[in-house]
Amino acid sequence: MTERQHRQAGGSVVVAAVLIACACATSCSGSGATLDDARAADPVGTLRRAADALEDAGSSRASTSMEMATGGTRVTIRGEGVYDYRKRLGRLKVMLPQDPAGTSEHRPITELLASGALFMKNRGAGVPADKWVRVDTATLSDGNLVTGGATDPLAAAEVLRGTRTATYVGTTELAGTEVRHYRGTADLAAAAKSASDANKGVLAAAAKGFATAAVPFDVYLDDQGRIRKVRHRFSFVNGQQQATVAVASTTLLYDFGVATDVRLPAARDIYAGEIAEG
């Protein structure tokens, strides 16, 4: 059911559920100018270290949005949950869009994000309601940056380890917090080389599987260098129609230090049967 809908939207890479210069150069003064000038002087280095700041924070809540567009069709998949950056474990509740007719509601899919694996409950397509589906993310052509309908928050941060070019746009406010806005392009192959062991394989898979390894992004960091918002733009080729699918994946991070208590399913609770196509 969920795969069929995603395929109709043009995203057939899935085997799973669904898939500046410093603007204040003339106005900054005092101690704040020193910090902003440093960040403006080395935006590439600042962004390559952003994932480390998340690990220092320990955990956070996360909101995700994934927009997919091909031809005249556009769908948006949203998620909410928590992530532990030290244990590399997360839990998201992913909401699927309605059918084209707008008459069908889908139960949310619960996703557990782990090192090298994606677990899904309410998978549909013949999977019992009380069972989980496990997917080895390193075997996915997109490294699960797209397949699950949400980009793993730590993987999203580690994409920035491959930052090639970046510009410091300036300061703005996000949900009541002053943040620093950067814009640039990351290279997935370079990110894979610098990533943690948990994400080397998935980012290397994405570098090979996407239409291009170059990933344009916008990212917003707080005073501690933690990502508050990151938006990546991915591109892959639809395997059935050989059409390029544009994906915009946005991740919002907040409530740092929140309790997570993410537990992976026992082996007996993982579905081992055939997974239906539709």
Side-chain angles (χ1 to χ4, degrees):
M1 175 182 65
T2 58
E3 279 194 34
R4 182 178 63 251
Q5 180 188 21
H6 184 61
R7 288 176 187 276
Q8 290 172 344
S12 64
V13 297
V14 298
V15 298
V18 279
L19 224 199
I20 123 184
C22 177
C24 67
T26 59
S27 60
C28 293
S29 61
S31 60
T34 302
L35 181 60
D36 279 352
D37 288 348
R39 286 174 167 141
D42 185 23
V44 171
T46 297
L47 298 181
R48 288 178 177 176
R49 295 188 293 270
D52 297 329
L54 291 184
E55 292 190 44
D56 290 342
S59 64
S60 77
R61 297 189 188 279
S63 296
T64 67
S65 173
M66 184 168 288
E67 304 168 12
M68 298 184 179
T70 181
T73 303
R74 182 182 298 272
V75 296
T76 301
I77 303 165
R78 303 187 186 279
E80 296 277 348
V82 295
Y83 200 96
D84 187 320
Y85 302 101
R86 294 172 183 166
K87 294 181 180 178
R88 291 164 170 73
L89 291 174
R91 179 178 60 249
L92 294 175
K93 180 179 288 186
V94 176
M95 302 296 297
L96 304 181
Q98 291 183 325
D99 289 330
T103 58
S104 175
E105 289 191 7
H106 300 281
R107 295 178 61 191
I109 296 174
T110 300
E111 296 187 356
L112 300 180
L113 309 170
S115 179
L118 168 67
F119 298 85
M120 293 169 291
K121 199 170 189 179
N122 295 334
R123 162 67 172 79
V127 179
D130 62 339
K131 294 294 184 180
W132 294 83
V133 172
R134 183 189 186 282
V135 178
D136 182 351
T137 51
T139 66
L140 299 174
S141 62
D142 68 296
N144 195 37
L145 295 180
V146 174
T147 289
T151 302
D152 179 304
L154 184 56
E158 294 218 88
V159 168
L160 300 180
R161 293 193 189 278
T163 299
R164 292 298 197 192
T165 62
T167 301
Y168 176 50
V169 181
T171 60
T172 187
E173 188 173 290
L174 183 64
T177 299
E178 185 178 78
V179 292
R180 288 160 177 80
H181 178 193
Y182 299 83
R183 179 174 295 134
T185 302
D187 181 87
L188 289 171
K193 293 178 181 178
S194 301
S196 63
D197 290 342
N199 285 316
K200 283 185 182 295
V202 298
L203 293 177
K208 296 177 181 178
F210 280 147
T212 172
V215 179
F217 64 80
D218 280 84
V219 62
Y220 302 78
L221 307 184
D222 63 17
D223 281 340
Q224 298 180 53
R226 302 174 302 195
I227 295 172
R228 290 301 185 118
K229 177 180 178 179
V230 59
R231 182 176 176 86
H232 299 102
R233 289 172 290 281
F234 303 120
S235 178
F236 63 86
V237 176
N238 182 317
Q240 287 185 328
Q241 302 172 1
Q242 294 300 305
T244 299
V245 180
V247 179
S249 176
T250 302
T251 304
L252 297 171
L253 304 177
Y254 53 99
D255 284 356
F256 290 98
V258 67
T260 56
D261 191 28
V262 179
R263 302 181 184 183
L264 299 182
R268 64 179 178 276
D269 295 324
I270 298 175
Y271 183 65
E274 293 291 329
I275 299 176
E277 287 292 319

